[in-house]
């Protein structure tokens, strides 16, 4: 998954978590960031979502950044801040979703969630020419030594990482939905 897709997915995951936790968010007087639902989403973000991003950045960084920047020239502190900002974007999604849920605008939240998912799916379609080739920044700029996306380790890594991310996300949503019903 390229970076723009993961950023949109981070926002969408926070929003979806808030929708799944609507029962707790409606009855709890706590601020949304102090609820158990947000803690569950934060665990997902820091144990699954951000590590998936780190995997793509470390092992396929130039492809991950759509060959716009040379990963070797990005200081590690800037990359770390980027991963924290990704988690922060998801937290903003949770806050936004909690606000909509508490004001009983779940249909609007669902529409925004659908739009966020479409935005997450757009980069692979819009940047297909860049994402179909795998190599370093220099190889892409020079047009030499590139492999097809489906031939190397990147394809297998994408399948595994996306499967883990989606399975964790499904578990998170189920946990949030059923935890509220037990109370």
């Amino acid at each position: 998954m390229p970076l723009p897709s993961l950023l949109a997915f981070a926002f969408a995951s926070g929003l979806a978590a808030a929708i799944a936790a609507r029962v707790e968010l409606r009855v709890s007087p706590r601020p949304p960031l102090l609820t158990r639902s947000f803690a569950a989403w934060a665990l997902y973000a820091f144990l699954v979502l951000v590590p998936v991003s780190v995997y793509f950045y470390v092992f396929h960084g130039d492809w991950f950044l759509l060959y716009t920047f040379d990963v070797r020239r990005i200081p590690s502190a800037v990359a770390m801040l980027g991963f924290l900002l990704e988690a922060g974007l998801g937290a903003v999604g949770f806050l936004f979703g909690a606000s909509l849920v508490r004001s009983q605008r779940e249909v609007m939240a669902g529409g925004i969630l659908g739009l966020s998912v479409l935005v997450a799916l757009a980069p692979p379609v819009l940047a297909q020419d860049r994402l179909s080739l795998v190599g370093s920044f220099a190889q892409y700029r020079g047009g030499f030594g590139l492999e097809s996306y489906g031939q190397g380790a990147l394809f297998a890594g994408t399948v595994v990482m996306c499967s883990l991310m989606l399975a964790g996300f499904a578990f998170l949503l189920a946990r949030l939905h059923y935890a509220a019903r037990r109370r």
Side-chain angles (χ1 to χ4, degrees):
M1 284 188 99
L3 178 62
S5 292
L6 280 171
L7 292 175
F9 183 77
F11 180 81
S13 71
L15 187 61
I19 293 170
R22 64 183 166 269
V23 173
E24 179 189 7
L25 290 170
R26 282 192 190 143
V27 299
S28 175
R30 293 179 175 182
L33 296 182
L34 297 178
T35 61
R36 289 182 182 196
S37 301
F38 179 76
W41 177 85
L43 280 172
Y44 167 76
F46 286 106
L47 294 177
V48 179
L49 185 61
V50 171
V52 166
S53 297
V54 170
Y55 165 79
F56 283 114
Y57 179 78
V58 169
F59 294 107
H60 311 288
D62 295 322
W63 179 88
F64 176 66
L65 297 176
L66 300 171
Y67 301 107
T68 53
F69 300 103
D70 188 354
V71 172
R72 294 176 300 159
R73 298 194 182 271
I74 299 173
S76 59
V78 172
M80 186 177 70
L81 284 174
F83 296 128
L84 290 176
L85 286 174
E86 177 186 20
L89 186 60
V92 167
F94 187 89
L95 284 171
F96 184 62
S99 172
L100 291 173
V101 164
R102 285 185 170 172
S103 63
Q104 303 207 6
R105 289 191 244 159
E106 287 155 353
V107 173
M108 181 185 289
I112 295 169
L113 176 61
L115 183 63
S116 300
V117 170
L118 285 176
V119 169
L121 296 174
V125 174
L126 297 176
Q128 185 177 6
D129 57 326
R130 289 176 179 253
L131 295 175
S132 65
L133 302 171
V134 180
S136 69
F137 181 81
Q139 288 173 319
Y140 184 80
R141 292 292 177 195
F144 66 92
L146 296 168
E147 293 181 3
S148 176
Y149 171 75
Q151 294 178 350
L154 177 58
F155 178 74
T158 302
V159 170
V160 169
M161 291 297 154
C162 288
S163 298
L164 290 173
M165 188 175 67
L166 292 175
F169 185 59
F171 178 77
L172 170 71
L173 294 180
R175 182 248 179 244
L176 292 175
H177 179 72
Y178 291 117
R181 297 178 93 191
R182 287 188 302 199
R183 291 182 189 191

